[in-house]
Amino acid sequence: MTSENQELKKAGLKVTLPRVKILQILENAGDRHFSADDVYRTLLDQGEDVGLATVYRVLTQFESAGLVMRHHFEAGTAVFELAKGEHHDHMICLESGRVIEFVDPVIEKRQHEIAEEHGFEIEDHSLIIYVRPKKK
């Protein structure tokens, strides 16, 4: 049994060709974050006959099952990445749209201190920093 099949079964999802293909695309994405349209175009490029509505439905099922995380980096456009279980934050380049993932222990520590100072503890958080290349 392939690793994709095992992941789908472990998440409680039936193994179907569209689910396997979409999971493979996300697994091969590296640090790239895909929109539903990106996944759909990749499927078309691979010669797969999967409709856009199916892509949206599968991505929503993956999110509900904890396989992917949905982010809203740009107005109105959701992008997805595999839920790797490791927390990281994001920088978004305003000129290129490039997404840079990073982990910074100092930032993480300070966020917890701020929550503590206000009488809270962090359950979850998301940090997105919008950046532009430095002018030379």
Side-chain angles (χ1 to χ4, degrees), residues 1-51:
M1 187 181 309
T2 68
S3 65
E4 290 86 8
N5 291 4
Q6 290 172 342
E7 286 183 59
L8 290 171
K9 285 186 176 201
K10 190 167 82 175
L13 296 170
K14 184 177 173 187
V15 177
T16 64
L17 187 60
R19 287 181 181 146
V20 170
K21 294 292 183 184
I22 292 169
L23 189 54
Q24 286 174 341
I25 289 169
L26 295 172
E27 286 176 339
N28 294 327
D31 287 342
R32 184 164 174 222
H33 297 66
F34 276 82
S35 68
D37 287 335
D38 294 332
V39 172
Y40 176 66
R41 281 192 297 277
T42 302
L43 288 165
L44 290 179
D45 290 347
Q46 294 175 352
E48 299 295 336
D49 186 24
V50 177

